[in-house]
Amino acid sequence: MRRTMLYGLQLAWFMLGLFIFGFAISLMVKAGLGVASWDVLHLGLTHYLSFTFGQIMIGSGVICVIVAVFLGVRPTLGTVLNMIFIGVFVDLINKMALLPDPVSNAWRWSYLLFGIVLCGLATGLYITAALGTGPRDSLMVGLHQVTGWRIGPVRTLIEVSVVLLGYLLSGPIGWGTLVFSLTIGWTTEYSLKFFYWCGNRRWFKQLIGSMGEINTAVSGQQKA
């Protein structure tokens, strides 16, 4: 029972990361200063396909997963959830109009920078949940394994390719795209360090242990 509870916490942690990631993407799109490389492609495709932004994100994720499978990388539960729910959350946030339109450049840059910070935070969340890589990361790993190239050049090739393709499709490339590219690695790194630091703290381990004891006691009372 304790193992089931811990897995539930792990899954909830992962899903929280996906929701925050979707919220971060929505912030950067609202900023109107340029978006992350893959979203340049996704938004470019919205000009030619009768699908929502989130649906196109899901579709590109499906393609990445299929290609990754042919390259020898099998999807995990985390891969599938990542592929589906970030797009779902983005469409939900947009449909509910949770974010007001920015009315000044300062507001736009605030949206962009906060979105980048949240993107790094969200990545740290779902990576530390340890449920598997996202669809685009799976593609990167598959190309790395097949070509023998280092991860760095492979990731750079993918990012540059999708930006160029998205730009040709009239995707919103701008200063925000450059700022994101230069800062997302740092925000993700510090986010990962923070969550791994928390995971090694005594208070965190005691919290998880106490939750397990509470769950065991409740289960015992129900059986009685």
Side-chain angles (χ1 to χ4, degrees):
M1 182 63 70
R2 182 177 179 181
R3 180 177 296 179
T4 302
M5 186 208 69
L6 291 177
Y7 183 75
L9 288 173
Q10 183 184 13
L11 185 59
W13 186 261
F14 184 85
M15 293 302 294
L16 176 62
L18 298 187
F19 177 78
I20 294 176
F21 198 93
F23 189 79
I25 290 174
S26 297
L27 274 170
M28 290 186 286
V29 172
K30 272 286 186 181
L33 296 169
V35 292
S37 53
W38 277 96
D39 294 325
V40 175
L41 174 60
H42 297 149
L43 288 169
L45 287 169
T46 60
H47 299 305
Y48 300 92
L49 301 175
S50 57
F51 297 104
T52 65
F53 177 35
Q55 289 168 346
I56 289 175
M57 291 176 67
I58 295 170
S60 73
V62 171
I63 293 172
C64 287
V65 169
I66 292 173
V67 174
V69 168
F70 280 105
L71 295 175
V73 180
R74 293 184 178 181
T76 63
L77 174 62
T79 306
V80 175
L81 293 178
N82 186 307
M83 177 183 72
I84 296 172
F85 279 98
I86 291 179
V88 169
F89 289 143
V90 166
D91 276 351
L92 182 63
I93 290 167
N94 291 337
K95 185 176 182 179
M96 295 178 67
L98 296 180
L99 296 170
D101 293 329
V103 295
S104 66
N105 281 332
W107 199 341
R108 290 179 186 278
W109 279 101
S110 296
Y111 268 25
L112 176 71
L113 296 177
F114 189 45
I116 292 172
V117 171
L118 284 182
C119 193
L121 177 71
T123 304
L125 276 167
Y126 72 70
I127 285 179
T128 53
L131 289 177
T133 60
R136 293 153 191 85
D137 294 326
S138 298
L139 175 62
M140 175 189 69
V141 171
L143 289 172
H144 160 69
Q145 292 177 349
V146 170
T147 63
W149 297 351
R150 297 193 344 257
I151 288 291
V154 170
R155 187 56 180 254
T156 301
L157 176 63
I158 293 173
E159 299 292 318
V160 170
S161 297
V162 295
V163 166
L164 289 176
L165 182 57
Y167 176 72
L168 293 173
L169 295 172
S170 302
I173 190 172
W175 284 109
T177 308
L178 177 61
V179 173
F180 179 89
S181 300
L182 293 176
T183 58
I184 188 59
W186 296 100
T187 58
T188 301
E189 178 181 343
Y190 285 118
S191 175
L192 285 169
K193 286 182 177 179
F194 173 73
F195 288 122
Y196 284 131
W197 178 84
C198 288
N200 289 323
R201 297 303 95 188
R202 180 180 298 177
W203 61 264
F204 183 83
K205 295 177 181 178
Q206 289 175 342
L207 175 64
I208 296 299
S210 63
M211 292 180 69
E213 292 172 1
I214 292 171
N215 186 68
T216 301
V218 170
S219 298
Q221 291 175 358
Q222 289 176 344
K223 290 179 180 179

